[in-house]
Amino acid sequence: MIGERLERQMGFIFELERLKTVYRQNGTLGGKRQENSAEHSWHVSVMAFLLAEYCPEGVDVFRVLKMLLLHDVVEIYAGDTFLYDQQGREDAKLAEAAAADRVFSLLPEDQGSDFRALWEEFERRDTQEALYAAVLDNLQPILNHYFTNNQNIAGKRLLRSQIIEKKRFIAEFSPELWEFAERIIDESVARGLFQPG
Amino acid sequence: MIGERLERQMGFIFELERLKTVYRQNGTLGGKRQENSAEHSWHVSVMAFLLAEYCPEGVDVFRVLKMLLLHDVVEIYAGDTFLYDQQGREDAKLAEAAAADRVFSLLPEDQGSDFRALWEEFERRDTQEALYAAVLDNLQPILNHYFTNNQNIAGKRLLRSQIIEKKRFIAEFSPELWEFAERIIDESVARGLFQPG
């Protein structure tokens, strides 16, 4: 006899399948399809324990991992919004809060409320864990855009200064990671993947 | 001045991009493309902390997460081998060991050796952490096959008894998870996604 608790947990696990068909502006190698939010979430999660030494001491990397593995699940219902679409990002806030109600309520109550709290912390960026998660979430697309040589028009129209403005908070968290990011942004401009200026 | 350590770490992070184009026999919703090993790794990782209560006490879920996030990176060079291809699985062992040499040597030595040890532990299944990781790695494809209503021919030709033989070790780890898995296998047979018998 399968209990209601496990049924709900499995219902959530089934629903996660949908994140694999939420496509981002980023690309994949070979250029045949866009990157989706599930594989992006995997990529930033590996980065989280690989780059942990660039964090201030005491950051709970296990909690960062849970946060990153869950940070995009609201997109199952709300879709992905391009970071540089200012109006879209604002409209998305409400849709994402409604999506959070919906997706986390699939779970047993205790887990739904824990997971939602992790997601809200990520959105607020008001702990070292959330800030580190945001750093990785903002660093990975720069690396991906460069390495996949992404020919997506939306990405190619971006100005170097727009990228720098959105991403420069990385410098306060880790000057080393930011130095690397800036180099990759400049090399991307040189390749025509972003506009100079 | 970016140090050699960070250069190597970033070299590994770039290389991870390749796992997003390693496709499995499993599908995705809508049936337009197969599932890749990066998004599979994300899915099992969320399952790892969501289902932790079905583990024996004392299992280190943080270590399980790192193991699952890394468990398929050898496929970057060795490709994915279908679980039910017995000869292929044996040939793959050597290719995967060579791939592990190659991929983990991209990293700074200490991290390369830590990550390789985690991968080897996963392969050996000789700790509770590795066993739990193997349970999730074997459970997720059953759930995915059913929920995506996967019409892939290789999957559809499998006999119920073949699945049960490969997956029944789940029962020893968690009778509850196995009961759920068996129900999904039976419902998949009823839908024609596996052969009866």
Side-chain angles (χ1 to χ4, degrees):
Chain A
M1 187 57 205
I2 295 154
E4 197 208 326
R5 185 169 173 87
L6 182 55
E7 294 280 3
R8 293 182 78 113
Q9 290 165 328
M10 288 294 184
F12 181 82
I13 291 167
F14 280 133
E15 203 72 356
L16 292 178
E17 200 57 61
R18 303 190 190 281
L19 199 61
K20 299 174 191 170
T21 54
V22 173
Y23 292 98
R24 296 160 48 81
Q25 295 291 336
N26 283 83
T28 53
L29 286 169
K32 284 196 200 112
R33 64 170 180 84
Q34 283 166 266
E35 185 191 40
N36 66 65
S37 294
E39 56 199 357
H40 156 74
S41 297
W42 166 75
H43 207 167
V44 289
S45 298
V46 180
M47 288 167 68
F49 61 93
L50 176 57
L51 300 175
E53 67 201 71
Y54 302 95
C55 285
E57 240 176 286
V59 168
D60 179 348
V61 179
F62 183 27
R63 210 151 65 82
V64 174
L65 279 183
K66 289 188 274 192
M67 207 180 280
L68 284 170
L69 287 165
L70 293 173
H71 81 289
D72 273 345
V73 297
V74 297
E75 295 181 0
I76 286 174
Y77 306 123
D80 180 60
T81 315
F82 195 32
L83 177 65
Y84 303 91
D85 173 1
Q86 197 62 44
Q87 187 57 49
R89 285 298 315 149
E90 276 164 37
D91 297 344
K93 290 275 174 204
L94 278 177
E96 286 176 1
D101 289 343
R102 189 168 157 203
V103 74
F104 296 125
S105 73
L106 296 171
L107 285 163
E109 215 170 312
D110 58 319
Q111 289 187 311
S113 106
D114 286 355
F115 286 20
R116 177 157 192 153
L118 277 169
W119 174 72
E120 287 178 355
E121 183 183 334
F122 172 79
E123 290 289 310
R124 284 194 315 266
R125 291 194 192 174
D126 62 354
T127 60
Q128 288 298 308
E129 281 78 11
L131 202 53
Y132 181 43
V135 162
L136 299 173
D137 189 39
N138 276 274
L139 183 57
Q140 186 269 348
I142 300 172
L143 305 179
N144 163 284
H145 196 72
Y146 172 79
F147 193 69
T148 63
N149 198 26
N150 187 6
Q151 298 302 318
N152 178 309
I153 296 300
K156 288 177 72 145
R157 283 199 187 128
L158 289 175
L159 295 173
R160 180 183 183 285
S161 55
Q162 286 179 284
I163 323 276
I164 300 286
E165 189 200 330
K166 287 281 184 198
K167 313 278 183 178
R168 69 174 347 135
F169 77 96
I170 296 174
E172 283 158 60
F173 192 86
S174 164
E176 281 159 293
L177 294 182
W178 179 242
E179 189 183 352
F180 193 89
E182 262 199 309
R183 190 180 85 194
I184 296 298
I185 293 167
D186 287 337
E187 290 182 19
S188 299
V189 171
R191 281 195 189 172
L193 298 171
F194 299 124
Q195 301 296 313
Chain B
M1 186 59 204
I2 294 154
E4 198 207 326
R5 186 171 174 86
L6 182 55
E7 294 280 2
R8 294 182 77 114
Q9 290 165 327
M10 289 293 184
F12 181 83
I13 290 166
F14 280 133
E15 203 71 356
L16 292 178
E17 201 55 63
R18 302 190 189 281
L19 199 61
K20 300 174 191 169
T21 54
V22 173
Y23 292 98
R24 297 160 47 82
Q25 294 292 336
N26 283 83
T28 53
L29 286 169
K32 284 196 202 115
R33 64 171 179 85
Q34 284 168 265
E35 185 192 39
N36 66 65
S37 294
E39 57 199 356
H40 156 75
S41 297
W42 166 75
H43 208 167
V44 289
S45 298
V46 180
M47 289 167 69
F49 62 92
L50 177 57
L51 300 175
E53 67 200 72
Y54 303 95
C55 285
E57 240 176 287
V59 167
D60 179 348
V61 179
F62 183 27
R63 210 149 65 80
V64 173
L65 279 183
K66 289 188 273 191
M67 208 180 279
L68 284 170
L69 288 165
L70 293 173
H71 82 289
D72 273 345
V73 296
V74 298
E75 295 181 0
I76 286 174
Y77 307 123
D80 181 60
T81 314
F82 195 32
L83 178 65
Y84 302 91
D85 173 1
Q86 196 62 45
Q87 186 58 49
R89 283 300 314 151
E90 276 164 36
D91 296 345
K93 289 276 174 204
L94 279 176
E96 286 176 359
D101 288 344
R102 191 169 155 201
V103 75
F104 295 125
S105 73
L106 296 171
L107 286 163
E109 215 170 309
D110 59 318
Q111 289 187 310
S113 107
D114 285 356
F115 286 20
R116 176 154 193 154
L118 277 169
W119 174 72
E120 287 177 355
E121 183 183 333
F122 172 79
E123 289 290 309
R124 284 194 316 267
R125 290 193 193 174
D126 62 354
T127 59
Q128 288 298 308
E129 281 78 10
L131 203 53
Y132 181 44
V135 161
L136 299 172
D137 189 38
N138 275 274
L139 183 57
Q140 187 268 348
I142 300 172
L143 305 179
N144 163 284
H145 195 71
Y146 171 78
F147 193 68
T148 64
N149 197 25
N150 186 5
Q151 300 301 321
N152 177 308
I153 296 300
K156 288 177 72 145
R157 282 199 186 125
L158 289 175
L159 293 174
R160 180 182 184 286
S161 56
Q162 287 178 284
I163 323 274
I164 300 288
E165 189 200 331
K166 287 282 184 197
K167 313 278 184 178
R168 70 173 347 135
F169 76 96
I170 296 174
E172 283 159 58
F173 192 86
S174 165
E176 280 160 292
L177 294 182
W178 179 241
E179 189 183 353
F180 192 89
E182 261 198 310
R183 190 181 85 193
I184 296 298
I185 293 167
D186 287 338
E187 289 182 20
S188 299
V189 172
R191 280 194 190 174
L193 297 171
F194 300 124
Q195 302 295 312

